[in-house]
Amino acid sequence: MLLPGEPLPVHLMNTVWADRAGVHDTLATLDSLRGWLAAVHDDATAQRITENDIPHFYTLRAALRRLAAHRTEDPRARATASPLTPGQAVAAVNRAITQSPASPQLTLTGHTLGSTTTSKGSPAARVLACVATQAIPVLTTAPLQACLAPACVVYFTKDHPRREWCSTTCGNRARAARHYNRHKPTP
């Protein structure tokens, strides 16, 4: 589920999403991982990802979801299910960052100075390091929030003080559930 305007780490966290049919995993196959990467990063890198890279994306996603649940004090059991403790999740994020160290480089184009960043490692390691590096401010200072609509497992950055849900669909679902609970007949 791609929510517009969300940072890359939130997009990775939200590759697990739910609807009426159940919980879905956007990274379940190599083709779906490549499709997701093409949508959020770039197609050239996506095509260089292999089956062996999928577990690394799963691990980083599990780490980010565990840390998001920890930070937001997320009460949703389905959303917070993770094999990692918060300490293991921090170690996984840091490991992803160090697998492909990035170095700033000064560039000169004509008379103009600029900068670029170079990274070492496989295409997957570079993407994972990029996501993990961007996750640090998302997990420490961004207004990260868990969508508490019924059956939702998504996280989002709260870009407006009154925003409570990840999407209008979840907002409608939450309001309908609240209305039903207020007006349901007592047995």
Side-chain angles (χ1 to χ4, degrees):
M1 172 178 223
L2 285 177
L3 299 175
E6 295 297 337
L8 190 54
V10 175
H11 282 307
L12 180 59
M13 285 187 262
N14 292 340
T15 57
V16 171
W17 54 279
D19 64 10
R20 290 178 188 206
V23 178
H24 305 280
D25 183 353
T26 304
L27 307 181
T29 66
L30 179 59
D31 287 339
S32 61
L33 172 58
R34 285 178 173 168
W36 175 80
L37 274 174
V40 299
H41 194 60
D42 70 77
D43 195 44
T45 301
Q47 295 312 312
R48 296 173 63 196
I49 300 299
T50 68
E51 285 281 340
N52 297 336
D53 298 321
I54 294 173
H56 302 291
F57 281 90
Y58 281 159
T59 300
L60 183 58
R61 178 181 65 190
L64 294 177
R65 289 184 65 80
R66 166 55 68 206
L67 294 171
H70 179 76
R71 167 136 186 265
T72 62
E73 298 177 357
D74 190 349
R76 306 168 304 167
R78 283 190 347 178
T80 59
S82 173
L84 304 173
T85 66
Q88 291 169 327
V90 167
V93 171
N94 289 335
R95 191 171 38 258
I97 292 170
T98 60
Q99 293 300 310
S100 180
S103 305
Q105 301 286 310
L106 188 61
T107 60
L108 178 63
T109 308
H111 287 73
T112 307
L113 288 172
S115 69
T116 187
T117 303
T118 60
S119 297
K120 296 176 176 70
S122 70
R126 288 194 304 268
V127 171
L128 291 166
C130 176
V131 173
T133 302
Q134 290 179 30
I136 293 171
V138 169
L139 293 169
T140 58
T141 60
L144 188 63
Q145 179 128 357
C147 180
L148 298 179
C152 190
V153 295
V154 170
Y155 292 94
F156 64 94
T157 51
K158 191 171 180 172
D159 56 358
H160 189 279
R162 293 183 57 197
R163 184 176 178 191
E164 295 181 47
W165 303 287
C166 68
S167 65
T168 55
T169 302
C170 278
N172 290 340
R173 193 178 318 131
R175 284 187 287 276
R178 233 181 5 236
H179 175 80
Y180 175 79
N181 286 334
R182 276 195 312 261
H183 295 91
K184 70 180 178 184
T186 359

